[in-house]
Amino acid sequence: GGSGGGGGAGRSAGGGTGGKPSKAGGVDEAKAALATKQVPLFSHLVQYEREAALSPAAIGRDIHPAVQCAGLQMAEGLLSGTNARVVAMLRALQAVARDFRCPAGKALSRELEGRIKLQIAHLHDCRPKSLAMGDAIKWLKLRVSQLPAHLPPDAAKRILCSQIDTYIDERIELADRAISESASAKIAPSDVVLVYGRSHVVEATLLHAAARGTNFSVVVIDGGPRFEGRAMLVRLVAAGIRCSYSLLHALSYTMPSVSKVLLGASSMLVNGTLVSRAGTALVAMAAHEHGVAVLVCCETYKFTERVLLDAICYNELGDPDALLQAADADQGGASLSDWRERPRLKLLNLMYDVTPMKYLTMVVTEAGVIPPTSVPVIIREDRDRAQLAGP
């Protein structure tokens, strides 16, 4: 995990960020305090750490303003969702490429790749990258390495910027449109569709189905600490869709009346496993227990060759204080805001969980509706297509 310059909220694998020598004692104390509050089972993950401002180390590393802006938005949670984070990252790196000035006598691809690596490291310091972001970074580095050496730098940079535009347009925006059209066709009249949290493509699917005149209702299941489903609920009600809202602990009461479940995805793994926001696995397992079909809306760029069997080896830790904010606002009694001073109390805010393939019915992609067992086929076809495209 990275340490160093983060945004308003930074991450560190070992504790605090670097400071001036005169503040070494304070940094050591911060590291010791953070280490004592780590949950041992998840101590290998990048630990969440909040800072008051952008650290001087980040400013001194020649970080592009667009990258600093994107990093701050990701760190503060203003950019949530895999699609939004990938688009923001690619747009920021596109600005880096556009403004880059290659030294005379140097190879553009090699110099630009070094600059991009520095920007990516800063984004990772602000918030650890998701699996889909990692694959997008691999794609971008491959395109940079394939830039024609005989072209002038400005022409090569225009080619790269055009490729980034095409990637965002085809793999994300057009893919979302195709998925929403395909998934909305699966919603039949009088269906009761259950959704969890907020997913952009799931929301677009429901709005598209309503625009087609399909008469259905939606159950929005939500969970803390961010309660993202409330924003989706507002959009759906404004579109005239009949909705009900419930928290995750009422799932077993709600599920018997549901006919379909629509879920978003952070990534689909090569073994057909779904990685999504924490709580998704519980929803899928409850639907499986009641014989309800579970449809996952996922763009193919989120398909990755990685394999996970649990949510322990790979995950992301969120702000532990966020777990207390909702409770303190809604409930009276003793506050736990001093939890860091309580030696026997530790807080754990996991961002993702893993849903095994057997709990998923179908995956709706821009390439069609496929079973989870066909995910490796799509990955192999994408890899073969990339090899045929060449430089």
Side-chain angles (χ1 to χ4, degrees), residues 81-91 130 132-133 136 167 172 301:
T82 300
N83 285 352
R85 292 172 63 193
V86 170
V87 170
M89 177 190 70
L90 290 177
R91 290 300 184 196
S130 65
M133 290 175 69
Y167 184 92
I172 299 178
Y301 87 92

Side-chain angles (χ1 to χ4, degrees), residues 337-384:
S337 58
D338 61 341
W339 67 274
R340 288 182 176 83
E341 281 71 46
R342 303 191 183 195
R344 301 180 66 85
L345 177 60
K346 299 177 182 178
L347 299 184
L348 180 68
N349 182 10
L350 291 176
M351 301 293 287
Y352 301 106
D353 66 14
V354 167
T355 306
M357 177 177 61
K358 67 178 181 178
Y359 299 115
L360 309 176
T361 307
M362 301 296 283
V363 182
V364 185
T365 74
E366 68 269 27
V369 183
I370 62 173
T373 52
S374 295
V375 169
V377 177
I378 299 295
I379 294 175
R380 185 172 62 250
E381 289 182 352
D382 279 347
R383 184 173 60 245
D384 294 343

Side-chain angles (χ1 to χ4, degrees), residues 3 16 82 108 126-127 150 157 236 254 276 310 353 356 367 381:
S3 61
T82 300
L108 173 65
C126 294
R127 181 178 175 182
H150 65 278
K157 289 190 295 182
L236 298 180
T254 309
S276 191
D310 55 53
D353 66 14
E381 289 182 352

Side-chain angles (χ1 to χ4, degrees), residues 48-121:
Y48 186 93
E49 181 183 357
R50 178 168 292 275
E51 293 180 0
L54 190 65
S55 73
I59 299 175
R61 288 195 301 173
D62 193 18
I63 303 302
H64 192 280
V67 176
Q68 289 189 12
C69 180
L72 283 170
Q73 290 178 327
M74 292 180 190
E76 293 294 341
L78 301 178
L79 282 175
S80 61
T82 300
N83 285 352
R85 292 172 63 193
V86 170
V87 170
M89 177 190 70
L90 290 177
R91 290 300 184 196
L93 296 179
Q94 186 182 45
V96 172
R98 187 183 298 115
D99 297 339
F100 180 69
R101 294 293 177 264
C102 183
K106 300 287 186 179
L108 173 65
S109 59
R110 183 174 301 173
E111 297 298 319
L112 181 57
E113 185 175 358
R115 177 60 62 89
I116 287 177
K117 284 182 179 179
L118 182 65
Q119 315 301 313
I120 293 171

Side-chain angles (χ1 to χ4, degrees), residues 118-147:
L118 182 65
Q119 315 301 313
I120 293 171
H122 174 73
L123 291 176
H124 182 77
D125 287 345
C126 294
R127 181 178 175 182
K129 58 182 179 290
S130 65
L131 294 175
M133 290 175 69
D135 287 343
I137 290 170
K138 291 179 182 177
W139 172 87
L140 180 61
K141 288 182 177 179
L142 178 62
R143 292 295 174 268
V144 171
S145 67
Q146 293 174 345
L147 288 176

Side-chain angles (χ1 to χ4, degrees), residues 106-355:
K106 300 287 186 179
L108 173 65
S109 59
R110 183 174 301 173
E111 297 298 319
L112 181 57
E113 185 175 358
R115 177 60 62 89
I116 287 177
K117 284 182 179 179
L118 182 65
Q119 315 301 313
I120 293 171
H122 174 73
L123 291 176
H124 182 77
D125 287 345
C126 294
R127 181 178 175 182
K129 58 182 179 290
S130 65
L131 294 175
M133 290 175 69
D135 287 343
I137 290 170
K138 291 179 182 177
W139 172 87
L140 180 61
K141 288 182 177 179
L142 178 62
R143 292 295 174 268
V144 171
S145 67
Q146 293 174 345
L147 288 176
H150 65 278
L151 289 179
D154 288 344
K157 289 190 295 182
R158 283 195 296 270
I159 291 175
L160 180 62
C161 292
S162 176
Q163 290 174 334
I164 294 175
D165 288 335
T166 301
Y167 184 92
I168 294 174
D169 187 44
E170 293 182 355
R171 302 301 302 272
I172 299 178
E173 295 176 357
L174 291 179
D176 282 352
R177 200 176 307 164
I179 290 171
S180 62
E181 292 179 0
S182 180
S184 62
K186 303 297 181 183
I187 300 177
S190 301
D191 266 352
V192 179
V193 182
L194 184 143
V195 298
Y196 175 59
R198 186 185 189 188
S199 166
H200 171 74
V201 67
V202 170
E203 182 179 301
T205 297
L206 298 175
L207 294 176
H208 192 271
R212 294 173 55 175
T214 306
N215 182 26
F216 66 99
S217 59
V218 176
V219 177
V220 179
I221 297 293
D222 208 1
R226 300 189 63 183
F227 299 102
E228 295 174 308
R230 296 174 182 175
M232 177 183 281
L233 180 67
V234 171
R235 292 285 304 276
L236 298 180
V237 171
I241 301 175
R242 290 180 289 112
C243 298
S244 59
Y245 178 84
S246 179
L247 297 182
L248 193 58
H249 58 255
L251 182 63
S252 59
Y253 171 79
T254 309
M255 191 59 74
S257 63
V258 172
S259 54
K260 287 183 179 69
V261 174
L262 284 181
L263 298 175
S266 176
S267 289
M268 285 294 300
L269 310 184
V270 71
N271 61 342
T273 298
L274 168 67
V275 178
S276 191
R277 62 174 48 83
T280 301
L282 182 61
V283 174
M285 287 188 286
H288 180 79
E289 186 69 21
H290 288 82
V292 178
V294 178
L295 304 181
V296 180
C297 299
C298 182
E299 303 85 349
T300 55
Y301 87 92
K302 295 179 181 177
F303 288 11
T304 178
E305 296 188 63
R306 187 163 179 172
V307 173
L308 293 176
L309 301 179
D310 55 53
I312 298 175
C313 295
Y314 169 83
N315 214 310
E316 181 183 346
L317 300 183
D319 185 1
D321 290 312
L323 299 173
L324 305 177
Q325 291 170 0
D328 290 343
D330 298 339
Q331 300 177 5
S335 172
L336 292 177
S337 58
D338 61 341
W339 67 274
R340 288 182 176 83
E341 281 71 46
R342 303 191 183 195
R344 301 180 66 85
L345 177 60
K346 299 177 182 178
L347 299 184
L348 180 68
N349 182 10
L350 291 176
M351 301 293 287
Y352 301 106
D353 66 14
V354 167
T355 306

